[in-house]
Amino acid sequence: MRFSPLVEQLMDAFRVLPGVGPKTAQRMAMHVLEREREGGQRLSATLAEAIEAVGYCQRCRTLTEAELCALCQSPRRDETLLCVVESPADQLAIEEAGGFRGRYFVLHGHLSPIDGIGPEAIGLEQLESLVAQAHVHEIVLATNPTVEGEATAHYIATQLAAYGVTFSRLAYGVPMGGELEYVDGGTLSRAFNGRLPFASE
Amino acid sequence: MRFSPLVEQLMDAFRVLPGVGPKTAQRMAMHVLEREREGGQRLSATLAEAIEAVGYCQRCRTLTEAELCALCQSPRRDETLLCVVESPADQLAIEEAGGFRGRYFVLHGHLSPIDGIGPEAIGLEQLESLVAQAHVHEIVLATNPTVEGEATAHYIATQLAAYGVTFSRLAYGVPMGGELEYVDGGTLSRAFNGRLPFASE
């Protein structure tokens, strides 16, 4: 015995969500049908509406249902500073850390020739025209500290070299609050080579 | 900064699912919007359809979009044996374990006077008329081995005593493949008291 066709379809459909295997999908379908039909209807409607309406901000490419996202509309953000990130989630993480008052540009991925992801797929033409139009002085290349993220950062810096912009990259080093014993070797040697003068006062 | 209103609403909506907190909801919303719009549309449509169409089987109360579930329609199931379970998931677990060839009745919960869940909420009138009509010889009371499950089993056995049916309950004991060291005291003492003669051949 399995469940009825429609219940089975619902379980299958839940598996599109990240980290949801057959057992969790079954639990979700049962939970919604047994106890949360109202919430399930809300989820169904919101999901359809968001997929239909949410696109990319015309300026920074973050996810938004408006033409320009709230951050691009805000006059209080410094437009001379531009932070390039791989995803909206990275952008949120930087915003929540606080301290950065500039604007963003979201790539939605990184260069990956093997997967056919070239410069146009991550919006580099749009980034170039943004830099050409706006008064950007510094671009923080906050792509991930991975091989692909590094390569993407290098590519962007090379492509936009003609605009006389300063490029920077997030500092590498040991994470705050961590224990040295558990930091991986690559990070540790990088932090060692990049050691800073210590001010005792 | 937060995300745009619609993206935030989508994150909230995902929290209706069991075990989904703010971080997982964010990851689900990002995943669907960034990489799985097609799967998301399918989820939205299937969810709406299932919530609309899936109800209870008129005979056994399991979840189905048909009047009678596949199992109740099957002529190959022994209708003299009836297994009473708390949920469709319990029913599936018993089916997957194999061996039981009778029919089921799904309570969708257990008696819980504190929460206002009385006999009618778990379909006991329907169970009684089923027993009155069908040729049920034995009812396996497979409610959970919890205080509420036990109380519900006792209540059902008392209510249906007049029908001359045999009642049984799943055996209690140590789980197969487990190590005695890790079995809780209540289960162990129950298994000890219910010890069985050992056939050496």
Side-chain angles (χ1 to χ4, degrees):
Chain A
M1 169 233 186
R2 297 294 303 156
F3 290 102
S4 74
L6 198 45
V7 178
E8 290 283 326
Q9 275 172 41
L10 180 58
M11 289 179 193
D12 277 354
F14 272 122
R15 299 201 46 193
V16 81
L17 299 176
V20 174
K23 208 70 192 172
T24 309
Q26 181 188 317
R27 204 166 128 242
M28 287 176 168
M30 288 298 116
H31 181 84
V32 167
L33 291 174
E34 292 274 271
R35 276 183 293 277
E36 269 292 5
R37 295 203 171 209
E38 214 173 287
Q41 271 167 338
R42 202 165 51 240
L43 173 57
S44 165
T46 313
L47 191 53
E49 194 189 344
I51 289 171
E52 172 69 27
V54 172
Y56 293 171
C57 170
Q58 290 191 355
R59 188 182 163 98
C60 77
R61 302 217 326 158
T62 197
L63 291 170
T64 178
E65 64 270 28
E67 276 193 26
L68 286 181
C69 71
L71 211 144
C72 281
Q73 282 180 39
S74 164
R76 286 161 50 204
R77 305 296 295 222
D78 181 357
E79 70 167 349
T80 66
L81 261 173
L82 189 69
C83 178
V84 176
V85 291
E86 290 189 25
S87 73
D90 294 343
Q91 179 188 9
L92 181 71
I94 294 172
E95 280 295 296
E96 286 189 337
F100 180 69
R101 301 302 301 159
R103 294 177 184 271
Y104 290 89
F105 188 83
V106 181
L107 302 174
H108 295 282
H110 47 241
L111 290 177
S112 180
I114 280 180
D115 305 312
I117 300 174
E120 57 298 320
I122 59 171
L124 293 194
E125 270 184 31
Q126 195 178 332
L127 175 61
E128 185 163 352
S129 66
L130 179 65
V131 173
Q133 285 161 28
H135 312 288
V136 178
H137 295 162
E138 180 181 346
I139 297 180
V140 185
L141 296 162
T143 51
N144 286 330
T146 57
V147 175
E148 296 87 355
E150 296 284 345
T152 306
H154 276 114
Y155 184 90
I156 294 172
T158 311
Q159 285 300 106
L160 304 181
Y163 293 95
V165 179
T166 308
F167 292 98
S168 58
R169 187 111 176 86
L170 297 185
Y172 295 97
V174 293
M176 298 298 293
E179 298 191 45
L180 282 194
E181 187 180 347
Y182 300 111
V183 174
D184 69 290
T187 303
L188 205 51
S189 85
R190 197 115 192 198
F192 215 90
N193 292 332
R195 64 191 179 277
L196 302 165
F198 186 63
S200 64
E201 197 68 22
Chain B
M1 171 235 184
R2 297 294 301 153
F3 291 102
S4 74
L6 198 46
V7 178
E8 290 284 326
Q9 275 171 43
L10 181 57
M11 290 178 193
D12 277 354
F14 271 122
R15 301 202 45 196
V16 81
L17 300 176
V20 174
K23 207 73 193 169
T24 309
Q26 181 190 317
R27 203 166 128 242
M28 287 176 168
M30 287 299 115
H31 181 83
V32 168
L33 291 174
E34 293 273 272
R35 273 183 294 277
E36 269 292 6
R37 293 200 174 212
E38 212 172 289
Q41 271 167 338
R42 203 165 49 240
L43 173 58
S44 165
T46 312
L47 191 53
E49 194 189 343
I51 289 172
E52 173 69 27
V54 172
Y56 293 171
C57 169
Q58 291 191 356
R59 188 183 162 99
C60 78
R61 302 219 324 159
T62 197
L63 290 171
T64 177
E65 64 270 26
E67 275 193 26
L68 285 181
C69 72
L71 210 144
C72 279
Q73 282 180 38
S74 165
R76 285 161 48 202
R77 306 294 297 221
D78 181 357
E79 70 166 349
T80 65
L81 262 173
L82 189 68
C83 178
V84 176
V85 291
E86 290 189 24
S87 73
D90 294 344
Q91 180 188 7
L92 181 70
I94 294 171
E95 280 295 297
E96 285 188 337
F100 180 69
R101 300 303 301 163
R103 295 177 184 271
Y104 290 89
F105 188 84
V106 181
L107 302 173
H108 295 282
H110 46 240
L111 290 176
S112 180
I114 280 179
D115 306 311
I117 300 173
E120 58 296 319
I122 59 171
L124 293 194
E125 270 183 30
Q126 194 179 333
L127 174 61
E128 186 164 350
S129 67
L130 178 66
V131 173
Q133 286 160 30
H135 311 289
V136 178
H137 294 161
E138 179 181 347
I139 296 180
V140 185
L141 297 162
T143 51
N144 287 330
T146 58
V147 175
E148 297 87 353
E150 296 284 345
T152 305
H154 276 114
Y155 184 90
I156 294 171
T158 312
Q159 285 300 106
L160 303 182
Y163 292 94
V165 179
T166 310
F167 293 98
S168 58
R169 187 111 176 87
L170 297 184
Y172 296 98
V174 293
M176 298 298 294
E179 298 191 45
L180 282 193
E181 186 179 348
Y182 301 110
V183 174
D184 69 291
T187 302
L188 205 51
S189 85
R190 197 114 190 200
F192 215 91
N193 291 333
R195 64 191 180 278
L196 301 165
F198 185 63
S200 64
E201 198 66 22

